[in-house]
Amino acid sequence: MRTSRLTTLFATLLLLSIPSACAVEKIGEPSYTTDDWFEYEGHTEQLLADLTEQWSSEENFLGVQVTEREELRVTQLGNEGCTILSWNGDCVKARITHLVNFTLDWKENTTNYDNDTLNMSVSFSGTHWKSRGSAGWEKLDSRTITITQFSGGGEDNFLEHEVNEVTLIRRVGEFPESIKIGEIWDVEKTIEITGTERTRENLGVWQENDYNFSTTSQVLYQVVGERIIHYGVANEKTHDTLAVQRVDLGNNETTIDCYNGDGFLAHSETWVDGTLVLSATLSDFRYYVNEPHETTSTSNWLLPSILICLLMLVVIGAGATWFGLSTVPKTRIELDDLDNIDLD
């Protein structure tokens, strides 16, 4: 059954094509300097789009306004020894950060909030490790913090929601010796997640909930072709890339990662059940390719990708935001309505 399913999916992948006008036929191995950084646009937009959709059915909801943003940034931190499940050895280390502050606004005099406005902040920070010399092991230790502030009825309110997670990933399979057009392979991926969710109001006592779960799924990979990625204010800039598609059979999720010739990620998009849920593009970076420096990557560098968990950032951040809003008494009760309430 599994063989038949894999054969069918491989045949489908072979039919896929991506428009090509560039000359990236093979991906090189990146050679990072400590403190090299890569900044991506798209995660803020996705978070705000999810939030807007969540509240778009509200009769008096006006929308979301960003007041401050720090785009998602990956900073290389060099190498260090680490343990990931049964792996114990040298790892490539990086830091991932993201921040967005915004307001949610309703029509005047339709809520209990002063100025009919909520102030919110969602921040993410994580440390990422990837095994060197092996493509199979990955770890992300992350924290997402959502803060909701509003005033109403003569009171100031301060709500906090915090999610701390450790994600461990193991991949088992036959990886290709080089990443070039036409390569196809599959791996078994196991993910183990342990976490703590904490909430509190007005600096009171934290309410905590611990959780853990694990999943195992089959993931199919194919280097599907060359792709030109446009970016910039007017899409005036381009990345010449090679696209690697991976299909997770466990959740019907397809991701296309586009790498430039130097080997680092220039664009990533994820589809679930045919719907685009995330599109992120490299907008700025510092990469000292022409200067002598310590190398922090080795063979099988491509898999896993350092940004494999970025979709989780959006899911956690949006979930935390919705929690904050769900605890707030939003609807204004008018005096005329009080007269009609049956107190018996």
Side-chain angles (χ1 to χ4, degrees):
M1 179 67 177
R2 175 179 175 274
T3 302
S4 175
R5 191 178 185 187
L6 292 180
T7 301
T8 301
L9 282 165
F10 279 143
T12 301
L13 290 175
L14 286 171
L15 296 176
L16 293 173
S17 63
I18 294 180
S20 173
C22 50
V24 180
E25 298 180 355
K26 184 177 179 180
I27 303 173
E29 178 182 353
S31 183
Y32 297 122
T33 300
T34 298
D35 292 330
D36 281 353
W37 55 263
F38 304 85
E39 193 166 271
Y40 295 85
E41 294 183 351
H43 300 86
T44 298
E45 286 73 16
Q46 185 62 46
L47 176 60
L48 299 179
D50 289 345
L51 185 62
T52 300
E53 181 180 0
Q54 174 75 6
W55 290 97
S56 60
S57 60
E58 291 281 332
E59 181 179 357
N60 298 305
F61 182 65
L62 295 178
V64 181
Q65 297 291 329
V66 175
T67 58
E68 181 182 2
R69 63 196 293 167
E70 296 178 7
E71 300 296 356
L72 189 139
R73 176 175 288 204
V74 180
T75 303
Q76 295 292 328
L77 301 180
N79 302 325
E80 69 175 23
C82 72
T83 299
I84 306 174
L85 296 171
S86 59
W87 163 269
N88 191 333
D90 199 19
C91 291
V92 179
K93 184 179 181 181
R95 179 175 61 249
I96 305 174
T97 57
H98 181 233
L99 169 71
V100 57
N101 296 333
F102 52 92
T103 64
L104 293 95
D105 301 297
W106 284 262
K107 289 183 179 179
E108 186 176 0
N109 294 324
T110 60
T111 72
N112 286 321
Y113 313 138
D114 288 355
N115 300 318
D116 299 289
T117 296
L118 282 177
N119 296 297
M120 302 195 71
S121 173
V122 179
S123 63
F124 175 92
S125 61
T127 303
H128 181 275
W129 294 266
K130 180 177 73 69
S131 56
R132 294 188 67 189
S134 170
W137 311 90
E138 185 178 7
K139 176 181 178 180
L140 178 67
D141 189 343
S142 65
R143 172 176 293 179
T144 304
I145 299 175
T146 300
I147 295 176
T148 305
Q149 300 180 72
F150 65 97
S151 298
E155 295 184 355
D156 295 328
N157 294 277
F158 187 82
L159 308 180
E160 297 170 89
H161 179 257
E162 182 179 297
V163 177
N164 296 286
E165 281 195 345
V166 175
T167 303
L168 305 174
I169 300 177
R170 180 189 181 190
R171 297 173 181 83
V172 178
E174 295 293 330
F175 298 94
E177 294 183 0
S178 62
I179 307 300
K180 58 186 178 181
I181 294 176
E183 290 287 352
I184 301 176
W185 66 100
D186 72 295
V187 302
E188 182 181 84
K189 179 182 70 175
T190 299
I191 300 178
E192 296 183 10
I193 296 178
T194 58
T196 300
E197 181 182 26
R198 306 199 306 164
T199 61
R200 68 174 179 176
E201 300 181 13
N202 299 324
L203 304 179
V205 177
W206 285 103
Q207 302 295 319
E208 297 189 1
N209 175 51
D210 296 329
Y211 59 90
N212 63 82
F213 60 91
S214 62
T215 62
T216 299
S217 61
Q218 202 73 15
V219 182
L220 309 182
Y221 292 82
Q222 183 188 14
V223 184
V224 292
E226 299 165 306
R227 174 182 282 190
I228 296 178
I229 303 299
H230 295 270
Y231 69 104
V233 176
N235 286 327
E236 74 281 7
K237 303 177 183 179
T238 60
H239 296 299
D240 293 343
T241 71
L242 196 60
V244 180
Q245 178 175 261
R246 47 190 164 94
V247 179
D248 191 320
L249 304 184
N251 54 17
N252 200 22
E253 178 180 292
T254 298
T255 299
I256 299 177
D257 293 324
C258 300
Y259 298 87
N260 73 359
D262 290 320
F264 52 82
L265 188 65
H267 177 77
S268 182
E269 56 191 54
T270 298
W271 304 74
V272 177
D273 295 325
T275 300
L276 181 65
V277 296
L278 176 64
S279 178
T281 300
L282 180 68
S283 57
D284 197 6
F285 61 94
R286 184 177 69 184
Y287 179 61
Y288 290 123
V289 65
N290 294 320
E291 297 185 13
H293 54 265
E294 178 187 3
T295 298
T296 62
S297 60
T298 58
S299 60
N300 285 330
W301 57 270
L302 177 63
L303 301 170
S305 163
I306 194 170
L307 299 182
I308 201 76
C309 295
L310 293 190
L311 182 59
M312 294 172 56
L313 183 155
V314 176
V315 173
I316 295 173
T321 300
W322 296 338
F323 164 82
L325 290 178
S326 69
T327 64
V328 179
K330 183 174 69 283
T331 304
R332 174 180 292 276
I333 300 178
E334 304 293 351
L335 292 178
D336 290 344
D337 296 329
L338 289 175
D339 294 337
N340 296 324
I341 295 178
D342 187 358
L343 301 178
D344 293 335

